[in-house]
Amino acid sequence: MFYLQRIALNHYTTILCFNPDYPLFTNWQAFINKFSSKFGMFDTVAEAKRTLMALRMSPNKHFTVFVVQFEKEAYKTGWNYNALRFQH
């Protein structure tokens, strides 16, 4: 899975195209330092929690869609159905 998105992915692919021998591609710590300072660290758990907090059952969607969305994000956070019940 590729974790870079939007502008960070664009930056990465630009460097790769124009300077494939860039030191970031052979030094993981240098890569993390560069991209963290430029774009910040992405916290998937925090993002999943925010998504769960905003999750609502829409009147025009099936309950199954809601459950699938919940399970997708809950897996990342360790939340379960009890958390869902107390959240809404």
Side-chain angles (χ1 to χ4, degrees), residues 65-77:
V65 173
F66 177 80
V67 170
V68 168
Q69 288 174 329
F70 171 78
E71 288 176 342
K72 175 184 169 193
E73 301 302 326
Y75 179 76
K76 299 172 191 173
T77 64

Side-chain angles (χ1 to χ4, degrees), residues 55-72 81 84:
L55 188 63
R56 300 286 182 263
M57 177 67 196
S58 301
N60 60 345
K61 289 188 180 176
H62 293 284
F63 180 68
T64 307
V65 173
F66 177 80
V67 170
V68 168
Q69 288 174 329
F70 171 78
E71 288 176 342
K72 175 184 169 193
Y81 287 107
L84 175 65

